[in-house]
């Protein structure tokens, strides 16, 4: 117990003892000692109950506490309650100021921020940018159903995904179709979600300008490169003994530039596509073709095995999927030393399917894995150029899989090898046509 409370407690006890002693003396003089003590004790009890009632009334009325002079227990209690009330009021003022500051910061954000009730999917709060970008109005849209207020945005199915909802990368604003939005759903508590909408109109416009520039430049480079390559093919090294090695290198570099231009054009075409037409892709013949290509590219330097465990076909573009799978298999051959193994397997994965290419090559450090699908990104520039790569293969694979609502997963360990897996959902698999059915596994060395 603090010293001031102990002192007040002792003073109160001393006062009570003095009152009882005085009452006893007066009772002795009047020859009614018991009655005098009883009346004194009753008076003391009434006084304490009156102070207790006063404290309770102050607490329930939530009025500003007032202290009274004195050194007794009740005076110390008054001072303690007064101090606690002042501290609570100060803490409340700080919290209110912080809340106002956070609300002002959220209001000033250029991104639209909407707080949504998780259970009812109704609007709880939104900032000023939500009015500009999403068309929400205060106070009319407070506690309004979010899906209904943001029509025609496809939010019903998206909100149902909750924590697993993928960001909507490109959506038209309900206010102005010319405004393009990037939407994210952030579950920040058990009962509320945060909907964040960002204006990406300028960013998408710049991305379109970049795609157009790359496509136009690549198209313009194709003709002069074809002419240069044609003239180089007409020049035989034997006819120019002094410059023979130079002609060979020039041919090699012109072929590399031509391949780079073709890859750039392919990538630009894929980026401009919104979707792809679904057609039946016979995986039995696809796997056989991929194996022949890999063996031709390897020229007997690797052990190549192919397994077909799925007994399924895919739905999508046969040409694009063949290009994606061929890119992965060619990379495996290119970056696996002679004598290594390359294993391609197509198998079921839940209601979907997965095609994986595993090699025993150099492996890729973990720090490089997140950036492998970027354009021209190279783990080792010298090794990539020596092997003839353009740095666009995995970017092409990523875009092709994106058009098929599939995803690319990369696992690798330095010195052991890498595995590139293409995961397809149930909407892009089909039962295998009987005429295309072949042996469920094919496994033999190249």
């Amino acid at each position: 117990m603090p010293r001031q409370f102990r002192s007040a407690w002792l003073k109160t006890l001393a006062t009570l003892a003095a009152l009882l002693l005085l009452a006893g003396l007066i009772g002795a003089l009047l020859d009614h000692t018991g009655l005098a003590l009883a009346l004194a004790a009753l008076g003391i009890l009434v006084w304490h109950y009156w102070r207790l009632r006063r404290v309770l009334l102050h607490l329930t009325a939530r009025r500003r506490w007032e202290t009274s002079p004195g050194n007794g227990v009740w005076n110390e209690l008054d001072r303690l309650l007064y101090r606690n009330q002042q501290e609570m009021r100060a803490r409340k003022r700080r919290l209110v100021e912080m809340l106002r500051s956070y609300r002002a910061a959220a209001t000033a954000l250029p991104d639209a921020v909407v707080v949504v009730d998780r259970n009812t999917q109704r609007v709880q709060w939104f900032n000023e940018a939500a009015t500009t970008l999403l068309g929400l109005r205060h106070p009319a849209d407070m506690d309004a159903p979010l899906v209904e207020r943001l029509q025609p945005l496809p939010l019903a199915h998206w909100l149902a995904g909750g924590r697993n909802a993928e960001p909507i990368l490109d959506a038209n604003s309900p206010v102005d179709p010319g405004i393009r939005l990037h939407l994210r759903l952030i579950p920040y508590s058990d009962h509320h979600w945060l909907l964040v909408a960002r204006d990406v109109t300028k960013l998408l416009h710049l991305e379109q300008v970049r795609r157009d520039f790359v496509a136009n430049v690549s198209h313009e480079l194709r003709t002069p490169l074809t002419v240069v390559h044609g003239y180089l093919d007409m020049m035989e090294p034997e006819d120019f003994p002094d410059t023979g090695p130079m002609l060979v290198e020039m041919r090699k570099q012109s072929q590399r530039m031509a391949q780079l231009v073709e890859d750039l054009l392919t990538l630009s075409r894929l980026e401009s596509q919104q979707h792809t037409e679904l057609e039946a892709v016979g995986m039995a013949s696809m796997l056989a073709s991929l194996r022949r290509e890999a063996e031709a590219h390897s020229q007997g330097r690797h052990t190549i095995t192919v397994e077909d465990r799925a007994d399924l076909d895919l739905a999508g573009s046969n040409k694009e999927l063949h290009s994606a799978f061929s890119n992965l298999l060619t990379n495996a051959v290119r970056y696996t030393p002679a004598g290594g193994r390359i294993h391609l397997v197509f198998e079921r994965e839940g209601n979907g399917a997965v095609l994986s290419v595993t090699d025993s090559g150099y492996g890729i450090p973990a720090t490089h894995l997140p950036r492998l699908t970027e354009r021209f990104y190279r783990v080792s520039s010298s090794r990539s150029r020596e092997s003839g790569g353009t740095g666009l293969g995995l970017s092409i694979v990523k875009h092709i899989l994106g058009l098929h609502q599939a995803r690319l997963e990369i696992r690798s360990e330095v010195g052991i090898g890498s595995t590139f897996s293409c995961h397809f959902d149930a909407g892009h698999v089909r039962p295998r046509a009987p005429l295309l059915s072949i042996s469920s596994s094919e496994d033999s060395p190249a």
Side-chain angles (χ1 to χ4, degrees):
M1 181 183 294
R3 185 173 57 184
Q4 66 269 24
F5 293 148
R6 187 183 304 112
S7 175
W9 181 253
L10 292 175
K11 288 180 180 179
T12 300
L13 290 179
T15 302
L16 293 176
L19 288 174
L20 291 175
L21 180 60
L22 180 61
L25 291 175
I26 294 174
L29 292 176
L30 300 175
D31 199 24
H32 293 287
T33 305
L35 179 60
L37 289 174
L39 291 175
L42 181 62
I44 292 172
L45 183 62
V46 169
W47 183 80
H48 278 286
Y49 269 102
W50 175 77
R51 292 301 303 264
L52 178 61
R53 179 178 179 276
R54 182 184 173 194
V55 170
L56 293 176
L57 287 176
H58 275 78
L59 290 175
T60 54
R62 295 186 178 183
R63 293 181 297 177
R64 184 180 296 274
W65 204 272
E66 298 178 358
T67 59
S68 56
N71 297 318
V73 171
W74 290 105
N75 303 109
E76 287 297 329
L77 180 60
D78 284 344
R79 284 189 282 271
L80 178 61
L81 291 175
Y82 174 79
R83 185 167 60 250
N84 289 342
Q85 186 185 67
Q86 293 301 107
E87 292 176 354
M88 186 178 299
R89 288 177 181 271
R91 189 181 303 113
K92 183 179 180 180
R93 283 194 297 269
R94 289 195 300 270
L95 291 175
V96 170
E97 291 173 0
M98 290 175 60
L99 181 60
R100 288 174 179 170
S101 176
Y102 290 146
R103 179 165 290 188
T107 301
L109 284 174
D111 299 338
V113 178
V114 184
V115 177
V116 184
D117 184 85
R118 178 178 179 179
N119 296 322
T120 63
Q121 296 183 2
R122 290 180 176 270
V123 177
Q124 302 296 304
W125 180 85
F126 55 87
N127 63 352
E128 292 182 4
T131 300
T132 306
L133 299 179
L134 300 175
L136 295 176
R137 303 290 177 183
H138 191 278
D141 291 330
M142 293 296 292
D143 202 37
L146 181 69
V147 177
E148 178 183 319
R149 297 301 302 140
L150 297 187
Q151 292 291 343
L153 288 177
L155 298 184
H157 180 71
W158 186 58
L159 289 174
R163 296 182 180 275
N164 299 319
E166 293 290 333
I168 299 178
L169 302 180
D170 185 9
N172 294 329
S173 168
V175 179
D176 182 359
I179 299 178
R180 313 284 284 278
L181 301 177
H182 176 279
L183 303 177
R184 290 188 62 192
L185 188 65
I186 305 172
Y188 71 95
S189 75
D190 293 336
H191 304 289
H192 294 93
W193 288 333
L194 204 64
L195 173 64
V196 181
R198 174 170 295 177
D199 184 355
V200 292
T201 306
K202 292 182 179 180
L203 183 63
L204 293 177
H205 176 69
L206 291 175
E207 184 69 15
Q208 184 61 46
V209 170
R210 181 195 63 78
R211 286 198 297 263
D212 293 342
F213 173 77
V214 172
N216 292 334
V217 170
S218 302
H219 184 73
E220 292 299 326
L221 285 175
R222 176 187 279 179
T223 299
L225 280 174
T226 302
V227 173
V228 170
H229 191 62
Y231 278 119
L232 288 174
D233 281 342
M234 294 172 60
M235 302 171 67
E236 295 295 335
E238 293 80 5
D239 298 334
F240 304 90
D242 297 334
T243 59
M246 294 174 58
L247 287 175
V248 172
E249 183 63 22
M250 290 171 67
R251 284 182 180 177
K252 178 180 176 182
Q253 294 302 325
S254 68
Q255 289 173 350
R256 183 171 177 272
M257 289 182 66
Q259 184 60 50
L260 180 60
V261 168
E262 291 300 323
D263 284 353
L264 283 171
L265 288 172
T266 299
L267 192 55
S268 296
R269 177 180 57 81
L270 291 171
E271 288 178 334
S272 63
Q273 283 185 239
Q274 298 297 325
H275 58 84
T276 187
E277 297 295 331
L278 297 183
E279 60 179 350
V281 180
M283 289 303 296
S285 58
M286 171 85 73
L287 295 175
S289 175
L290 291 171
R291 176 172 184 164
R292 288 193 297 269
E293 292 177 13
E295 289 174 343
H297 191 65
S298 172
Q299 297 181 351
R301 294 180 291 113
H302 307 88
T303 301
I304 299 175
T305 56
V306 177
E307 285 190 79
D308 183 6
R309 305 174 185 166
D311 194 31
L312 293 172
D313 287 336
L314 295 179
S317 169
N318 189 82
K319 180 180 178 181
E320 292 175 358
L321 289 177
H322 184 276
S323 174
F325 301 154
S326 179
N327 257 309
L328 294 179
L329 204 53
T330 302
N331 282 347
V333 173
R334 184 179 292 135
Y335 298 113
T336 300
R341 293 181 58 86
I342 298 167
H343 182 58
L344 185 150
V345 59
F346 180 56
E347 57 189 342
R348 295 174 182 265
E349 184 184 49
N351 295 325
V354 57
L355 183 140
S356 302
V357 177
T358 303
D359 62 61
S360 59
Y362 305 106
I364 305 167
T367 54
H368 294 283
L369 294 181
R371 301 189 60 189
L372 279 183
T373 56
E374 295 180 9
R375 302 172 187 85
F376 302 110
Y377 185 80
R378 300 175 186 274
V379 176
S380 173
S381 299
S382 58
R383 185 183 299 165
S384 297
R385 291 193 176 94
E386 289 173 2
S387 60
T390 63
L392 294 171
L394 288 179
S395 185
I396 291 174
V397 171
K398 176 185 176 182
H399 279 82
I400 290 175
L401 293 181
L403 290 172
H404 291 79
Q405 287 77 53
R407 60 183 176 88
L408 177 65
E409 181 182 347
I410 305 173
R411 300 189 305 274
S412 186
E413 190 171 345
V414 176
I416 295 179
S418 308
T419 299
F420 293 78
S421 304
C422 306
H423 299 263
F424 296 88
D425 59 23
H428 287 76
V429 298
R430 301 287 186 270
R432 179 160 297 174
L435 295 178
L436 298 179
S437 180
I438 62 172
S439 175
S440 61
S441 74
E442 183 180 358
D443 188 351
S444 62

CSV table of all heavy atoms in Angstrom, one decimal, residues 38-75:
chain,number,residue,atom,x,y,z
A,38,ALA,N,-23.2,2.7,21.1
A,38,ALA,CA,-24.0,2.2,20.0
A,38,ALA,C,-24.5,3.4,19.1
A,38,ALA,O,-24.4,3.3,17.9
A,38,ALA,CB,-25.3,1.5,20.5
A,39,LEU,N,-24.8,4.5,19.7
A,39,LEU,CA,-25.2,5.7,18.9
A,39,LEU,C,-24.0,6.2,18.1
A,39,LEU,O,-24.2,6.6,17.0
A,39,LEU,CB,-25.8,6.7,19.8
A,39,LEU,CG,-27.2,6.4,20.4
A,39,LEU,CD1,-27.6,7.6,21.4
A,39,LEU,CD2,-28.2,6.3,19.4
A,40,ALA,N,-22.9,6.2,18.7
A,40,ALA,CA,-21.7,6.7,18.0
A,40,ALA,C,-21.3,5.8,16.9
A,40,ALA,O,-21.0,6.2,15.8
A,40,ALA,CB,-20.5,6.8,19.0
A,41,ALA,N,-21.4,4.4,17.1
A,41,ALA,CA,-21.1,3.5,16.0
A,41,ALA,C,-22.1,3.6,14.9
A,41,ALA,O,-21.7,3.6,13.7
A,41,ALA,CB,-21.1,2.1,16.5
A,42,LEU,N,-23.4,3.8,15.3
A,42,LEU,CA,-24.4,4.0,14.2
A,42,LEU,C,-24.2,5.3,13.4
A,42,LEU,O,-24.3,5.3,12.2
A,42,LEU,CB,-25.8,4.1,14.9
A,42,LEU,CG,-27.0,4.2,13.9
A,42,LEU,CD1,-27.1,3.0,13.0
A,42,LEU,CD2,-28.3,4.3,14.7
A,43,GLY,N,-23.8,6.4,14.1
A,43,GLY,CA,-23.5,7.6,13.4
A,43,GLY,C,-22.3,7.5,12.4
A,43,GLY,O,-22.3,8.0,11.3
A,44,ILE,N,-21.3,6.8,12.9
A,44,ILE,CA,-20.1,6.5,12.1
A,44,ILE,C,-20.5,5.7,10.8
A,44,ILE,O,-20.1,6.0,9.7
A,44,ILE,CB,-19.0,5.8,12.9
A,44,ILE,CG1,-18.4,6.8,14.0
A,44,ILE,CG2,-17.9,5.3,12.0
A,44,ILE,CD1,-17.5,6.1,14.9
A,45,LEU,N,-21.3,4.7,11.1
A,45,LEU,CA,-21.7,3.8,9.9
A,45,LEU,C,-22.6,4.6,8.9
A,45,LEU,O,-22.4,4.5,7.7
A,45,LEU,CB,-22.5,2.6,10.5
A,45,LEU,CG,-23.0,1.6,9.5
A,45,LEU,CD1,-21.8,0.9,8.8
A,45,LEU,CD2,-23.9,0.5,10.2
A,46,VAL,N,-23.5,5.5,9.4
A,46,VAL,CA,-24.3,6.3,8.5
A,46,VAL,C,-23.4,7.2,7.7
A,46,VAL,O,-23.6,7.4,6.5
A,46,VAL,CB,-25.4,7.1,9.3
A,46,VAL,CG1,-26.1,8.1,8.5
A,46,VAL,CG2,-26.4,6.1,9.9
A,47,TRP,N,-22.4,7.8,8.4
A,47,TRP,CA,-21.6,8.8,7.7
A,47,TRP,C,-20.8,8.1,6.6
A,47,TRP,O,-20.7,8.6,5.4
A,47,TRP,CB,-20.6,9.4,8.7
A,47,TRP,CG,-19.7,10.4,8.0
A,47,TRP,CD1,-20.0,11.7,7.7
A,47,TRP,CD2,-18.3,10.2,7.7
A,47,TRP,NE1,-18.9,12.3,7.2
A,47,TRP,CE2,-17.9,11.4,7.1
A,47,TRP,CE3,-17.5,9.1,7.7
A,47,TRP,CZ2,-16.6,11.6,6.6
A,47,TRP,CZ3,-16.2,9.3,7.3
A,47,TRP,CH2,-15.7,10.5,6.7
A,48,HIS,N,-20.3,6.9,6.9
A,48,HIS,CA,-19.5,6.1,5.8
A,48,HIS,C,-20.4,5.7,4.7
A,48,HIS,O,-20.0,5.8,3.5
A,48,HIS,CB,-18.9,4.9,6.5
A,48,HIS,CG,-17.6,5.2,7.2
A,48,HIS,ND1,-16.4,5.4,6.5
A,48,HIS,CD2,-17.3,5.2,8.5
A,48,HIS,CE1,-15.4,5.7,7.3
A,48,HIS,NE2,-15.9,5.5,8.6
A,49,TYR,N,-21.7,5.3,5.0
A,49,TYR,CA,-22.6,4.9,3.9
A,49,TYR,C,-22.9,6.1,3.1
A,49,TYR,O,-23.2,6.1,1.8
A,49,TYR,CB,-23.8,4.3,4.5
A,49,TYR,CG,-23.7,2.8,4.6
A,49,TYR,CD1,-23.5,2.1,5.8
A,49,TYR,CD2,-23.9,2.0,3.4
A,49,TYR,CE1,-23.4,0.7,5.9
A,49,TYR,CE2,-23.8,0.6,3.5
A,49,TYR,CZ,-23.5,0.0,4.7
A,49,TYR,OH,-23.4,-1.4,4.7
A,50,TRP,N,-23.0,7.3,3.7
A,50,TRP,CA,-23.3,8.5,3.0
A,50,TRP,C,-22.2,8.9,2.0
A,50,TRP,O,-22.4,9.2,0.9
A,50,TRP,CB,-23.5,9.7,4.0
A,50,TRP,CG,-23.7,11.0,3.3
A,50,TRP,CD1,-24.8,11.5,2.6
A,50,TRP,CD2,-22.7,12.0,3.2
A,50,TRP,NE1,-24.6,12.7,2.1
A,50,TRP,CE2,-23.3,13.1,2.4
A,50,TRP,CE3,-21.4,12.1,3.6
A,50,TRP,CZ2,-22.6,14.2,2.1
A,50,TRP,CZ3,-20.7,13.3,3.3
A,50,TRP,CH2,-21.3,14.3,2.6
A,51,ARG,N,-20.9,8.7,2.4
A,51,ARG,CA,-19.8,8.9,1.6
A,51,ARG,C,-19.7,7.9,0.4
A,51,ARG,O,-19.4,8.3,-0.7
A,51,ARG,CB,-18.5,8.9,2.4
A,51,ARG,CG,-18.3,10.0,3.4
A,51,ARG,CD,-18.3,11.4,2.7
A,51,ARG,NE,-17.3,11.5,1.6
A,51,ARG,CZ,-16.1,12.0,1.8
A,51,ARG,NH1,-15.8,12.5,3.0
A,51,ARG,NH2,-15.2,12.1,0.8
A,52,LEU,N,-20.1,6.7,0.8
A,52,LEU,CA,-20.1,5.6,-0.3
A,52,LEU,C,-21.2,6.0,-1.3
A,52,LEU,O,-21.0,5.8,-2.5
A,52,LEU,CB,-20.4,4.3,0.4
A,52,LEU,CG,-20.5,3.1,-0.6
A,52,LEU,CD1,-19.2,2.9,-1.4
A,52,LEU,CD2,-20.8,1.8,0.1
A,53,ARG,N,-22.4,6.4,-0.8
A,53,ARG,CA,-23.4,6.8,-1.8
A,53,ARG,C,-23.0,8.0,-2.7
A,53,ARG,O,-23.3,8.0,-3.9
A,53,ARG,CB,-24.7,7.2,-1.0
A,53,ARG,CG,-25.9,7.6,-1.9
A,53,ARG,CD,-27.1,7.9,-1.0
A,53,ARG,NE,-28.2,8.3,-1.8
A,53,ARG,CZ,-28.4,9.6,-2.2
A,53,ARG,NH1,-27.5,10.5,-1.8
A,53,ARG,NH2,-29.4,9.9,-2.9
A,54,ARG,N,-22.3,8.9,-2.1
A,54,ARG,CA,-21.8,10.0,-2.9
A,54,ARG,C,-20.8,9.6,-4.0
A,54,ARG,O,-20.9,10.1,-5.1
A,54,ARG,CB,-21.1,11.0,-1.9
A,54,ARG,CG,-20.6,12.3,-2.6
A,54,ARG,CD,-19.8,13.1,-1.6
A,54,ARG,NE,-19.2,14.2,-2.3
A,54,ARG,CZ,-18.2,15.0,-1.7
A,54,ARG,NH1,-17.8,14.7,-0.5
A,54,ARG,NH2,-17.7,16.0,-2.4
A,55,VAL,N,-19.9,8.7,-3.6
A,55,VAL,CA,-19.0,8.1,-4.6
A,55,VAL,C,-19.7,7.4,-5.8
A,55,VAL,O,-19.5,7.6,-7.0
A,55,VAL,CB,-18.0,7.2,-4.0
A,55,VAL,CG1,-17.2,6.5,-5.0
A,55,VAL,CG2,-17.1,8.0,-3.1
A,56,LEU,N,-20.7,6.6,-5.4
A,56,LEU,CA,-21.5,5.9,-6.4
A,56,LEU,C,-22.3,6.8,-7.3
A,56,LEU,O,-22.4,6.6,-8.5
A,56,LEU,CB,-22.4,4.9,-5.7
A,56,LEU,CG,-21.7,3.7,-5.0
A,56,LEU,CD1,-22.8,2.8,-4.3
A,56,LEU,CD2,-20.9,2.9,-6.0
A,57,LEU,N,-22.8,7.9,-6.7
A,57,LEU,CA,-23.6,8.8,-7.6
A,57,LEU,C,-22.7,9.5,-8.5
A,57,LEU,O,-23.0,9.8,-9.7
A,57,LEU,CB,-24.3,9.8,-6.6
A,57,LEU,CG,-25.5,9.3,-5.9
A,57,LEU,CD1,-26.0,10.4,-4.9
A,57,LEU,CD2,-26.6,8.9,-6.8
A,58,HIS,N,-21.5,9.9,-8.1
A,58,HIS,CA,-20.5,10.5,-9.0
A,58,HIS,C,-20.1,9.6,-10.1
A,58,HIS,O,-20.0,10.0,-11.3
A,58,HIS,CB,-19.3,11.0,-8.2
A,58,HIS,CG,-19.5,12.4,-7.6
A,58,HIS,ND1,-20.2,12.5,-6.4
A,58,HIS,CD2,-19.0,13.6,-7.9
A,58,HIS,CE1,-20.2,13.8,-6.1
A,58,HIS,NE2,-19.5,14.5,-7.0
A,59,LEU,N,-19.9,8.4,-9.8
A,59,LEU,CA,-19.5,7.4,-10.8
A,59,LEU,C,-20.5,7.2,-11.8
A,59,LEU,O,-20.3,7.1,-13.0
A,59,LEU,CB,-19.0,6.1,-10.1
A,59,LEU,CG,-17.7,6.1,-9.3
A,59,LEU,CD1,-17.5,4.8,-8.6
A,59,LEU,CD2,-16.5,6.5,-10.2
A,60,THR,N,-21.8,7.0,-11.4
A,60,THR,CA,-22.9,6.7,-12.3
A,60,THR,C,-23.3,7.9,-13.1
A,60,THR,O,-23.7,7.8,-14.3
A,60,THR,CB,-24.1,6.2,-11.6
A,60,THR,OG1,-24.4,7.1,-10.5
A,60,THR,CG2,-23.8,4.8,-10.9
A,61,ALA,N,-23.1,9.1,-12.6
A,61,ALA,CA,-23.5,10.4,-13.3
A,61,ALA,C,-22.4,10.8,-14.3
A,61,ALA,O,-22.7,11.6,-15.2
A,61,ALA,CB,-23.7,11.5,-12.3
A,62,ARG,N,-21.2,10.2,-14.2
A,62,ARG,CA,-20.1,10.5,-15.1
A,62,ARG,C,-19.8,12.0,-15.1
A,62,ARG,O,-19.5,12.6,-16.2
A,62,ARG,CB,-20.4,10.0,-16.5
A,62,ARG,CG,-20.4,8.5,-16.6
A,62,ARG,CD,-20.6,8.0,-18.0
A,62,ARG,NE,-20.6,6.5,-18.1
A,62,ARG,CZ,-20.6,5.8,-19.2
A,62,ARG,NH1,-20.7,6.5,-20.4
A,62,ARG,NH2,-20.6,4.5,-19.2
A,63,ARG,N,-19.9,12.6,-14.0
A,63,ARG,CA,-19.6,14.1,-13.9
A,63,ARG,C,-18.1,14.3,-13.6
A,63,ARG,O,-17.4,13.3,-13.1
A,63,ARG,CB,-20.5,14.7,-12.8
A,63,ARG,CG,-22.0,14.7,-13.2
A,63,ARG,CD,-22.8,15.4,-12.1
A,63,ARG,NE,-22.7,14.7,-10.8
A,63,ARG,CZ,-23.2,15.1,-9.7
A,63,ARG,NH1,-23.9,16.3,-9.7
A,63,ARG,NH2,-23.1,14.4,-8.6
A,64,ARG,N,-17.7,15.5,-13.8
A,64,ARG,CA,-16.3,15.8,-13.4
A,64,ARG,C,-16.1,15.7,-11.9
A,64,ARG,O,-16.9,16.2,-11.1
A,64,ARG,CB,-16.0,17.2,-13.9
A,64,ARG,CG,-14.5,17.6,-13.6
A,64,ARG,CD,-14.2,19.0,-14.1
A,64,ARG,NE,-14.4,19.1,-15.6
A,64,ARG,CZ,-13.5,18.8,-16.5
A,64,ARG,NH1,-12.3,18.4,-16.0
A,64,ARG,NH2,-13.7,18.9,-17.7
A,65,TRP,N,-15.1,14.9,-11.5
A,65,TRP,CA,-14.9,14.7,-10.1
A,65,TRP,C,-14.3,15.9,-9.4
A,65,TRP,O,-13.5,16.6,-9.9
A,65,TRP,CB,-13.9,13.5,-10.0
A,65,TRP,CG,-14.0,12.8,-8.7
A,65,TRP,CD1,-13.4,13.1,-7.5
A,65,TRP,CD2,-14.9,11.7,-8.4
A,65,TRP,NE1,-13.8,12.2,-6.5
A,65,TRP,CE2,-14.8,11.3,-7.0
A,65,TRP,CE3,-15.8,11.0,-9.2
A,65,TRP,CZ2,-15.4,10.3,-6.4
A,65,TRP,CZ3,-16.5,9.9,-8.6
A,65,TRP,CH2,-16.3,9.6,-7.2
A,66,GLU,N,-14.8,16.1,-8.2
A,66,GLU,CA,-14.3,17.2,-7.4
A,66,GLU,C,-13.7,16.6,-6.1
A,66,GLU,O,-14.2,15.8,-5.4
A,66,GLU,CB,-15.4,18.2,-7.0
A,66,GLU,CG,-16.0,18.8,-8.3
A,66,GLU,CD,-17.2,19.7,-7.9
A,66,GLU,OE1,-17.5,19.8,-6.7
A,66,GLU,OE2,-17.8,20.3,-8.8
A,67,THR,N,-12.5,17.2,-5.8
A,67,THR,CA,-11.8,16.7,-4.5
A,67,THR,C,-12.2,17.6,-3.4
A,67,THR,O,-12.6,18.8,-3.5
A,67,THR,CB,-10.3,16.8,-4.7
A,67,THR,OG1,-9.9,18.1,-5.0
A,67,THR,CG2,-9.9,15.8,-5.9
A,68,SER,N,-12.1,17.1,-2.2
A,68,SER,CA,-12.4,17.8,-0.9
A,68,SER,C,-11.2,17.8,-0.1
A,68,SER,O,-10.5,16.9,0.0
A,68,SER,CB,-13.6,17.2,-0.2
A,68,SER,OG,-13.4,15.9,0.1
A,69,PRO,N,-11.0,18.9,0.7
A,69,PRO,CA,-9.8,18.9,1.6
A,69,PRO,C,-9.9,17.9,2.7
A,69,PRO,O,-11.0,17.6,3.1
A,69,PRO,CB,-9.8,20.4,2.1
A,69,PRO,CG,-11.3,20.8,2.0
A,69,PRO,CD,-11.8,20.1,0.8
A,70,GLY,N,-8.8,17.5,3.2
A,70,GLY,CA,-8.8,16.5,4.2
A,70,GLY,C,-7.8,15.4,4.0
A,70,GLY,O,-7.2,15.3,2.9
A,71,ASN,N,-7.5,14.6,5.0
A,71,ASN,CA,-6.5,13.6,5.0
A,71,ASN,C,-7.0,12.2,5.2
A,71,ASN,O,-6.2,11.3,5.5
A,71,ASN,CB,-5.3,13.9,6.0
A,71,ASN,CG,-4.7,15.3,5.7
A,71,ASN,OD1,-4.4,15.6,4.5
A,71,ASN,ND2,-4.4,16.1,6.7
A,72,GLY,N,-8.3,12.0,5.2
A,72,GLY,CA,-8.9,10.7,5.5
A,72,GLY,C,-8.9,9.8,4.3
A,72,GLY,O,-8.4,10.1,3.2
A,73,VAL,N,-9.4,8.6,4.6
A,73,VAL,CA,-9.4,7.6,3.5
A,73,VAL,C,-10.3,8.1,2.4
A,73,VAL,O,-10.0,7.9,1.2
A,73,VAL,CB,-9.9,6.2,4.1
A,73,VAL,CG1,-10.2,5.2,3.0
A,73,VAL,CG2,-8.9,5.7,5.1
A,74,TRP,N,-11.5,8.6,2.7
A,74,TRP,CA,-12.4,9.1,1.7
A,74,TRP,C,-11.8,10.2,0.9
A,74,TRP,O,-12.0,10.3,-0.3
A,74,TRP,CB,-13.7,9.5,2.3
A,74,TRP,CG,-14.5,8.3,2.8
A,74,TRP,CD1,-14.7,8.0,4.1
A,74,TRP,CD2,-15.2,7.3,2.1
A,74,TRP,NE1,-15.4,6.8,4.3
A,74,TRP,CE2,-15.7,6.4,3.0
A,74,TRP,CE3,-15.4,7.1,0.7
A,74,TRP,CZ2,-16.5,5.3,2.6
A,74,TRP,CZ3,-16.1,6.0,0.3
A,74,TRP,CH2,-16.6,5.1,1.2
A,75,ASN,N,-11.0,11.1,1.5
A,75,ASN,CA,-10.4,12.2,0.8
A,75,ASN,C,-9.3,11.6,-0.2
A,75,ASN,O,-9.2,12.1,-1.3
A,75,ASN,CB,-9.7,13.1,1.8
A,75,ASN,CG,-10.7,13.7,2.7
A,75,ASN,OD1,-10.7,13.4,3.9
A,75,ASN,ND2,-11.6,14.6,2.3
